[in-house]
Amino acid sequence: MKIIGGKVIVCSPGRNFVTLKLETDDGVYGLGDATLNGRELAVASYLTDHVLPLLQGRDARRIDDIWQFLYKGAYWRRGPVTMSAIAAVDTALWDIKGKVLDTPVYQLLGGASREAVMVYGHASGTSIDGVVAAAGAFIGQGYKAVRAQCSVPGLDRVYGVAAGRAYEPAERGPLTETVWSSERYLETVAPLFERLRRELGSEPHLLHDVHHRLRPIEAARLGHALEPYRLFWMEDPTPADNQESFRLIRQHTTTPIAVGEVFNSIHDCRQLIQEQLIDYIRTTVVHAGGISHLRKIASLAELYQVRTGSHGATDLSPVCMAAALHFDLSVHNFGIQEYMPHTADTDRVFPHAYTFANGVMHPGDTPGLGVDLDEALAATFPYQPAYLPIARLADGTMHDW
Ligand code: EZ4
Ligand code: CO
């Protein structure tokens, strides 16, 4: 069963997606997400110019061997572009294997470890009242877990707060620069969660994303201040380039810590996991080497009672979402899955078998991943440059500690 071709499809049904389609001589094809938000075309080129020619004629059944070939054979290891490209190939090969064996991918990963996958939604608002109302609406729709982000008085734009419509992390057009103040931000978070816990009661899981904006000692102070409101997690409290910095946060607070959406390798989280400096590892199928590599991270994490919490923002395509759900359903130490519904156009471009109901999702039982790509429709949504906003301090210093 040989790989005889493939292509990279770039489309923008509301936001940009890069999708790999691999074809075999059996007439079966597989899909893999290769979207790297704000740097999309670099991965498209990596795949088209350097990976597809090397895959010609290779046995599509040899998923792990092809993974090792692309990782070790490149000589240049790791990095988000390389690992997103490898992830796309890996995901497409799991899709092919499932289709050929006529079984959903989660059955190939050991079968279901649970009935369904708990997800969290994104509530945000420009005032505490607004966030409380938004979070209440999620609970009303059956969500068991909600992430809450609020505007900060004095700052015009804050990470994670929807600008009118549903929140989308990237923005089309010229790159936006925002002004940040950790002091202002820190004044707002504890009062927000005090209100949320009081109004929503003890049942719902509450989450918060710091988005790498604090220094370790500030994050320690925030985690400590949030303890009375019993968060499910505090996400990305500080950048993890220096994994040791999490020890400082850990020494000061019992608020659970989640990190990993920007990681691309098990080496990015080895110390964090082995020294139990975190509670949830948030690596993603598309950015961390695919289903195969994510399983290795989860297996390492399982030894240290660290659970998974895959990133699932709108820049992860429905192909990645499906792959994440097969992984989540099967892996023993699953914690929670992030879920931001895609636009209606995106759902039409990527018809899928996965479903949401009562706060949980299921990947469905279609053979393979259970996602397709309508290429003709995708072609009507051409790529448009879009970037994540950046943050500077009031004096112009580039932020994100
Ligand atoms: O900023 O997906 O938890 N979710 C997030 C996202 C990320 C984007 C980056 O591409 O932090 O909104
Ligand atoms: Co995040």
Side-chain angles (χ1 to χ4, degrees):
M1 210 198 145
K2 293 190 186 319
I3 298 169
I4 53 161
K7 58 176 131 171
V8 176
I9 298 136
V10 181
C11 64
S12 196
R15 61 138 22 262
N16 294 321
F17 295 111
V18 178
T19 310
L20 174 69
K21 181 172 186 175
L22 281 185
E23 290 152 354
T24 70
D25 57 1
D26 278 19
V28 178
Y29 63 86
L31 299 176
D33 184 21
T35 308
L36 184 61
N37 203 4
R39 297 293 186 271
E40 295 88 355
L41 302 183
V43 188
S45 162
Y46 191 109
L47 284 166
T48 306
D49 298 325
H50 302 295
V51 171
L52 281 174
L54 296 174
L55 293 181
Q56 277 292 337
R58 286 182 193 278
D59 187 340
R61 295 170 299 189
R62 297 178 63 169
I63 300 177
D64 203 55
D65 181 63
I66 289 177
W67 196 100
Q68 301 293 343
F69 165 72
L70 292 175
Y71 184 78
K72 294 175 178 163
Y75 189 67
W76 312 107
R77 298 182 183 206
R78 303 167 58 180
V81 176
T82 295
M83 297 303 275
S84 297
I86 294 176
V89 174
D90 181 83
T91 308
L93 293 177
W94 279 104
D95 191 23
I96 289 169
K97 195 176 284 292
K99 287 176 177 172
V100 168
L101 298 177
D102 198 29
T103 186
V105 167
Y106 75 84
Q107 295 291 9
L108 301 173
L109 304 178
S113 284
R114 56 195 52 79
E115 301 305 319
V117 169
M118 179 168 70
V119 299
Y120 67 92
H122 281 203
S124 72
T126 52
S127 66
I128 290 182
D129 285 342
V131 185
V132 171
F138 276 99
I139 303 303
Q141 291 168 47
Y143 280 82
K144 302 172 197 316
V146 185
R147 185 187 93 159
Q149 310 292 135
C150 190
S151 292
V152 176
L155 302 184
D156 53 351
R157 303 272 299 284
V158 171
Y159 163 77
V161 178
R165 60 202 160 76
Y167 175 66
E168 157 57 47
E171 293 175 10
R172 287 174 172 167
L175 189 149
T176 308
E177 304 213 351
T178 65
V179 177
W180 178 255
S181 160
S182 295
E183 293 75 17
R184 290 254 161 84
Y185 162 75
L186 283 166
E187 285 165 12
T188 66
V189 189
L192 169 66
F193 281 91
E194 191 273 328
R195 268 286 300 285
L196 284 166
R197 192 47 91 197
R198 183 151 43 90
E199 303 220 5
L200 300 177
S202 60
E203 189 80 2
H205 296 302
L206 300 176
L207 299 82
H208 182 67
D209 190 353
V210 179
H211 219 239
H212 308 118
R213 289 286 163 85
L214 297 176
R215 287 177 286 131
I217 196 68
E218 294 168 336
R221 175 152 60 94
L222 178 61
H224 181 67
L226 291 174
E227 280 170 23
Y229 318 117
R230 199 176 43 72
L231 263 61
F232 189 89
W233 77 36
M234 171 171 71
E235 173 178 332
D236 293 343
T238 198
D241 299 11
N242 172 16
Q243 297 184 34
E244 276 176 25
S245 67
F246 279 64
R247 191 174 300 122
L248 190 149
I249 304 172
R250 205 59 154 170
Q251 280 165 354
H252 293 284
T253 180
T254 56
T255 293
I257 299 171
V259 73
E261 67 182 46
V262 304
F263 294 178
N264 54 70
S265 161
I266 197 167
H267 300 290
D268 292 331
C269 44
R270 207 152 38 94
Q271 184 180 10
L272 288 169
I273 291 171
Q274 290 180 320
E275 297 184 18
Q276 292 177 281
L277 303 177
I278 57 172
D279 300 279
Y280 295 91
I281 180 66
R282 301 191 65 256
T283 40
T284 317
V285 173
V286 52
H287 300 133
I291 292 171
S292 299
H293 197 64
L294 226 57
R295 291 181 84 205
K296 290 190 178 161
I297 295 173
S299 295
L300 176 68
E302 185 181 358
L303 300 182
Y304 298 94
Q305 292 162 292
V306 172
R307 293 192 283 165
T308 67
S310 286
H311 186 205
T314 40
D315 49 302
L316 297 315
S317 90
V319 179
C320 181
M321 192 65 199
L325 291 170
H326 286 278
F327 168 82
D328 297 339
L329 193 67
S330 63
V331 76
H332 170 73
N333 52 323
F334 164 77
I336 199 166
Q337 169 69 50
E338 183 178 22
Y339 175 48
M340 290 173 73
H342 288 108
T343 63
D345 283 341
T346 298
D347 284 339
R348 285 195 301 126
V349 169
F350 296 94
H352 51 260
Y354 61 76
T355 52
F356 168 86
N358 299 320
V360 297
M361 294 183 77
H362 194 283
D365 282 299
T366 305
L369 293 173
V371 189
D372 211 342
L373 172 54
D374 182 335
E375 289 186 55
L377 187 58
T380 67
F381 298 104
Y383 168 79
Q384 295 189 36
Y387 294 94
L388 285 161
I390 62 138
R392 291 187 187 274
L393 303 181
D395 71 356
T397 306
M398 183 69 193
H399 191 60
D400 277 21
W401 295 105

